[in-house]
Amino acid sequence: MSDNDRRTHVLDAALLVFARYGYRKASMDDVAKAADISRPGLYFHFPSKAELFRAAVEHALDDSIKAAKNALADPDRPLRERLIDAFDHWAGRYVGPMSEEIGILIDSNPELLDAMPVEYPKRFLRIVVAALAADASGHTGIRPIDVARTLLSTANGIKHDVRTRKEFRARMTIAIDLYCAR
């Protein structure tokens, strides 16, 4: 396993551990066991629990942004499909048993995350606005920023209202179809 793969594995495991136990109760030992790495090895990569937590959240948000950006980047696919995939990567991936825990984890530890909980949604919003603005079939008389904000609010609401990612996609598809039908 490459160093980059190992780091990704550790960050993914850490996010799950933090979501399960909460930041305060999770220990570096818990993360080391979940990541199948020695505790000294974990400390070699992340000198403190706070740095590990920040890196794990940043990694998850970066993955979400990258996947959403890739979904929106293919102009040969219909805008509807690209939007559904982008919102699934942004919000749908966090639906399920761990979704509430991850949300609470991020909301309850703002001092550790600085501007991340505000800046990443803004980044996602910008890529959605760009995709809406670039699509000639999407001219509905509604500004792309207003459509993007409404879809983002809808996605956030659906995320907390469904139990599975499949349900999220189905409900988000309805919301996007309402926009695309105009």
Side-chain angles (χ1 to χ4, degrees), residues 26-162:
S27 70
M28 292 293 270
D29 194 47
D30 294 329
V31 174
K33 286 178 186 172
D36 196 30
I37 188 173
S38 71
R39 190 170 175 197
L42 181 61
Y43 275 106
F44 176 75
H45 292 287
F46 302 98
S48 72
K49 185 167 79 166
E51 287 181 44
L52 175 60
F53 175 70
R54 183 177 170 77
V57 171
E58 187 171 34
H59 169 72
L61 292 172
D62 281 341
D63 276 357
S64 294
I65 290 286
K66 181 181 176 184
K69 192 181 279 190
N70 288 341
L72 290 168
D74 184 0
D76 294 331
R77 292 179 58 218
L79 177 63
R80 172 189 181 271
E81 290 175 18
R82 291 183 285 141
L83 287 169
I84 292 166
D85 286 348
F87 278 93
D88 181 50
H89 289 302
W90 176 251
R93 73 190 302 178
Y94 299 108
V95 171
M98 293 302 236
S99 67
E100 283 185 38
E101 288 84 354
I102 290 172
I104 291 168
L105 185 64
I106 290 170
D107 292 343
S108 62
N109 295 284
E111 70 282 0
L112 297 172
L113 299 176
D114 298 322
M116 268 194 270
V118 173
E119 290 305 315
Y120 276 87
K122 285 181 183 178
R123 285 176 57 192
F124 177 72
L125 189 68
R126 283 193 299 269
I127 64 172
V128 172
V129 168
L132 291 168
D135 187 79
S137 67
H139 294 290
T140 63
I142 304 170
R143 296 181 321 153
I145 185 69
D146 294 329
V147 173
R149 284 180 180 148
T150 301
L151 289 174
L152 183 56
S153 295
T154 301
N156 288 334
I158 291 170
K159 179 175 71 171
H160 296 292
D161 194 41
V162 298

